[in-house]
Amino acid sequence: MHEYTVFDAHFHIIDHTFPVVENNRFLPDHFDVDAYRGHAERLRVVGGAIVSGSFQEFDQSYLRDALQRLGPGFVGVTQLPASVTDEEIIDLDRVGVRAVRFNVKRGGSESIGNLETFARRVHDVAGWHTELYVDAAHLGELTDVIGALPAVSVDHLGLSEAGLPVLLDLVERGVRVKATGFGRVELDVRAAVRRIMDIDPTALMFGSDLPSTRARRPFEDADIDLLIDEVGEDDAEAVLRTNAERFYRIAGPR
């Protein structure tokens, strides 16, 4: 096992005690805080970002509960309608939510058509960034809009080989990238990681993507070893922890 402490920048909590909605005829299995903790301890996780999935739509109850149970060092990435009030955004910020997600790939979130106005609004109201789950190949016409937003990250290395040129263009414009979901992407992970690191070593953030719903291959511990091997020991700590801690505004010493 690796020697580094980890900020897991992308994982899901699926607690059937709270609303879970079938998406594209798929209903995920139960994977609660206790189940995640078993993996987190082994991976030396000291904090992370709970990401709302398509199957949770706009429900905040599961996220509030999970953040309270996981405690300091953990933050939330939620899905919200553009009709949400400023007061609701501020209240979610108080419990640890730090970003809004647009799930273009699976749905369950606000429309990408509201990306620019909503991304700017949540940043102005609470300092949140915006996360995109989308095949980067579909973002070509939005690169100028995305590149001009205050803070954005793209999930799962942009998903596809066809999307890699667009993703790299966005990295040059300051967009961050999650090194997650290696078992669900359609690209050469090693080559993509090297090219992102060549442009901006601060852009890449590791996430386990647990429990890897709908992935062809679930997360494996060896995925961290692959990442360390590609980024090198000098950048491993940043990619596994500190890049994401800065992006998610985690305060205090580790």
Side-chain angles (χ1 to χ4, degrees):
M1 178 51 65
H2 64 88
E3 63 188 69
Y4 304 94
T5 53
V6 169
F7 183 92
D8 186 351
H10 193 104
F11 68 94
H12 303 282
I13 297 296
I14 306 163
D15 189 337
H16 285 257
T17 307
F18 301 96
V20 179
V21 180
E22 188 175 287
N23 174 267
N24 296 328
R25 295 182 298 223
F26 174 80
L27 192 67
D29 293 335
H30 188 77
F31 184 79
D32 62 11
V33 167
D34 289 338
Y36 176 72
R37 280 185 177 132
H39 294 273
E41 183 176 353
R42 185 184 75 254
L43 299 175
R44 305 191 68 206
V45 170
V46 295
I50 310 166
V51 178
S52 291
S54 58
F55 38 79
Q56 283 149 334
E57 295 187 334
F58 299 135
D59 174 60
Q60 309 300 322
S61 58
Y62 95 91
L63 187 55
R64 289 174 179 273
D65 177 78
L67 286 170
Q68 192 276 326
R69 293 178 63 193
L70 284 167
F74 288 87
V75 295
V77 178
T78 196
Q79 295 167 163
L80 290 170
S83 59
V84 66
T85 66
D86 288 357
E87 290 73 22
E88 288 173 293
I89 293 170
I90 291 167
D91 183 56
L92 287 168
D93 185 72
R94 286 194 191 102
V95 300
V97 175
R98 293 293 179 265
V100 67
R101 189 186 200 207
F102 285 78
N103 192 328
V104 183
K105 177 75 172 177
R106 302 286 187 191
S109 69
E110 183 54 81
S111 164
I112 194 74
N114 289 320
L115 171 64
E116 183 172 16
T117 54
F118 199 24
R120 291 188 180 280
R121 182 174 162 226
V122 298
H123 188 268
D124 289 345
V125 170
W128 291 3
H129 67 263
T130 295
E131 305 201 354
L132 303 175
Y133 179 22
V134 60
D135 185 333
H138 300 153
L139 291 177
E141 295 179 358
L142 289 171
T143 52
D144 288 341
V145 169
I146 295 168
L149 291 175
V152 179
S153 69
V154 176
D155 294 345
H156 309 316
L157 298 171
L159 287 176
S160 75
E161 199 73 47
L164 188 58
V166 177
L167 184 73
L168 296 175
D169 182 14
L170 290 171
V171 172
E172 288 180 344
R173 299 172 189 236
V175 170
R176 310 301 177 92
V177 179
K178 292 192 181 185
T180 60
F182 296 170
R184 69 170 75 248
V185 302
E186 299 287 348
L187 50 73
D188 183 332
V189 170
R190 289 181 178 273
V193 166
R194 287 196 298 271
R195 294 186 69 181
I196 292 165
M197 291 294 291
D198 285 345
I199 297 169
D200 183 1
T202 71
L204 206 62
M205 306 179 293
F206 164 76
S208 69
D209 192 35
L210 285 166
S212 306
T213 56
R214 288 188 272 205
R216 296 186 314 280
R217 172 183 69 75
F219 169 78
E220 297 174 353
D221 293 4
D223 291 343
I224 295 183
D225 298 328
L226 179 156
L227 198 54
I228 294 169
D229 186 48
E230 289 304 323
V231 306
E233 291 187 5
D234 289 345
D235 288 306
E237 182 181 31
V239 171
L240 291 176
R241 181 168 62 85
T242 57
N243 286 348
E245 285 184 332
R246 280 192 283 270
F247 194 56
Y248 283 96
R249 297 178 289 126
I250 303 296
R254 274 283 165 243

